[in-house]
Amino acid sequence: MKKIKVMSVFGTRPEAIKMCPLIKELDKYPEIENLVCLTGQHKEMLQQVIDIFGTEVKYNLNIMQPRQSLTTITSNILEKIEPILVDEKPDIVLVHGDTTTSFSVALAAFYQHIPVGHVEAGLRTFDKYSPFPEEMNRTLTGKIAELHFAPTENNRNNLLRENISENIFVTGNTVIDAFHITVRDNYIYKLSQLQKIDTRNKRCILMTAHRRENLGQPLFNICKAARHIAEEFDDVEIIYPVHLNPSVQDTAHKVLDNIERVHLVPPLDVEDMHNLMARSFLVMTDSGGLQEEAPACGVPVLVLRTETERPEAVKAGTVKVVGVEEDNIYKSVKTMLTCPHVYEKMAKAINPYGDGHACKRIAQAIISWHDSKY
Ligand code: UD1
Ligand code: UDP
């Protein structure tokens, strides 16, 4: 019997965290030949994830450059992946989410008439410049894709609005599957800076911020609000793993270096990150993934953006969008620290991103789609 050749292609940290559990799952099916190609849009931050999940990688396009532009990412991927697609001729290429890797790879596969499966399909803000360029990346990827793995019903409805109606599978988000692999009760942090913080007894605020539209003044405002909180609350520890983007590094260190109770740490590997998150009091972030993960362990999320493509989380009450103005961020964090009833309501709300079995649903959908074609 000819196997179904599935080539998963991804390039950044969040894609890897959400795709590696799926690759593990695909390995279980004898009818699937499982291939992985990295674009290398990220380097160190990607390798950390690959190492932890022990994912076997066949190709790496290694495209990352310091302070890379969207155009160089796109053009390098298109050029470098073409010979691999021509040579391997996969039955399906899987891409994830909304990065420039996702869109460029989908386009390259389309040029070779190779069907694309889109994992984490159907997220939308319907504002093409926010988040930028992710909203356009995921919309165009959705247009190209033949199979759509939507985390929620709401994501499915977004696709229907765009007249995409075939082969949509509501699966939950694979990040919840990842979380079940990484979080352990007796976990000991690998990073020595984390070992020194009393994360079980202090109120820890885990903070991340990296989005392109937040670079500059918004990130400056976010960091100043964090500094204000650390100066006012002496039982709070703020832990900020700083993204390797030099623009993020510059602002974070300028505002937050040498502030008592603020810990600027390097990007954490996903086990340290998830276990720290599970022990945190609160998450403040502009990340997408954290809005799905933190509520899975009862940790409320304040979203440092003006919008979110995760309205089901807002509706469920697990996350709150607080914008990028210093005063509003400061007041919102303060409310969480001082009003137990507000805090408890968010902490106890039900996370809408699934039951940790998304990967299984995706694998089975790929097999039945393939069987129905041949
Ligand atoms: C990318 C994605 C964004 C996603 C984010 C996850 C695009 C356009 N953006 O944004 O959707 O939320 O990844 O983190 O696809 N760098 C390193 N080492 C690394 C990674 C990055 O040094 O391992 C530095 C490089 O200087 C690089 C810069 O960070 O040029 C920016 O990386 P890039 O992938 O272009 O943008 P992100 O902000 O990471
Ligand atoms: N993450 C991590 N280490 C860090 C920061 C984030 O492992 O130092 C994980 C986080 O738990 C989540 C994912 O990376 O699973 C989110 O990635 P990021 O914020 O870079 O991108 P986004 O979700 O915004 O696309």
Side-chain angles (χ1 to χ4, degrees), residues 24-275:
K24 239 184 205 317
E25 176 69 22
L26 293 175
D27 265 340
K28 295 181 191 162
Y29 298 78
E31 58 271 59
I32 288 180
E33 181 183 347
N34 201 5
L35 284 185
V36 174
C37 171
L38 305 179
T39 64
Q41 178 177 335
H42 282 176
K43 198 182 250 168
E44 306 87 339
M45 288 163 51
L46 176 64
Q47 196 56 44
Q48 282 182 325
V49 185
I50 299 296
D51 290 345
I52 291 203
F53 284 94
T55 304
E56 203 180 307
V57 173
K58 183 155 183 193
Y59 301 100
N60 189 341
L61 312 181
N62 265 315
I63 61 141
M64 199 200 87
Q65 295 166 10
R67 295 183 193 262
Q68 59 205 357
S69 75
L70 299 175
T71 306
T72 53
I73 302 172
T74 311
S75 56
N76 281 333
I77 292 175
L78 283 173
E79 281 197 15
K80 290 192 168 186
I81 203 163
E82 184 184 85
I84 296 173
L85 294 176
V86 169
D87 194 37
E88 291 283 0
K89 295 187 187 57
D91 293 301
I92 182 167
V93 163
L94 296 183
V95 298
H96 181 278
D98 56 17
T99 68
T100 296
T101 283
S102 329
F103 165 60
S104 312
V105 171
L107 185 61
F110 170 70
Y111 285 162
Q112 300 307 320
H113 291 261
I114 298 169
V116 171
H118 190 196
V119 182
E120 202 182 79
L123 279 70
R124 295 288 185 274
T125 58
F126 296 103
D127 175 351
K128 70 174 151 185
Y129 285 105
S130 186
F132 175 84
E134 289 82 3
E135 177 72 5
M136 192 51 73
N137 283 341
R138 60 194 170 212
T139 306
L140 296 172
T141 304
K143 206 75 199 152
I144 293 171
E146 187 146 337
L147 296 179
H148 310 266
F149 304 110
T152 67
E153 276 299 330
N154 177 58
N155 300 144
R156 190 170 93 95
N157 290 335
N158 288 340
L159 292 170
L160 296 175
R161 250 176 98 169
E162 292 172 5
N163 292 325
I164 297 170
S165 56
E166 302 226 335
N167 292 325
I168 305 177
F169 304 90
V170 177
T171 59
N173 198 305
T174 59
V175 82
I176 308 297
D177 304 31
F179 215 68
H180 289 167
I181 298 171
T182 50
V183 176
R184 294 188 286 282
D185 272 352
N186 55 356
Y187 185 79
I188 297 172
Y189 298 115
K190 285 167 243 169
L191 189 78
S192 60
Q193 276 164 284
L194 290 183
Q195 289 169 5
K196 290 179 195 136
I197 305 168
D198 185 3
T199 55
R200 283 181 194 273
N201 296 308
K202 294 275 187 157
R203 294 199 288 181
C204 289
I205 299 180
L206 172 60
M207 159 173 171
T208 78
H210 70 84
R211 302 218 79 79
R212 265 182 165 73
E213 67 272 15
N214 274 350
L215 300 181
Q217 191 61 44
L219 184 58
F220 194 70
N221 298 345
I222 291 167
C223 291
K224 283 208 307 188
R227 187 170 72 189
H228 194 166
I229 290 290
E231 286 167 348
E232 188 171 327
F233 292 89
D234 61 10
D235 67 327
V236 165
E237 304 285 338
I238 298 183
I239 304 164
Y240 179 7
V242 187
H243 190 293
L244 294 180
N245 186 336
S247 313
V248 178
Q249 291 273 337
D250 291 350
T251 307
H253 285 283
K254 198 165 164 190
V255 183
L256 293 170
D257 263 350
N258 302 317
I259 303 292
E260 222 179 316
R261 294 181 291 279
V262 175
H263 309 267
L264 298 185
V265 297
L268 299 177
D269 79 36
V270 62
E271 285 183 318
D272 268 4
M273 182 67 180
H274 283 179
N275 283 283

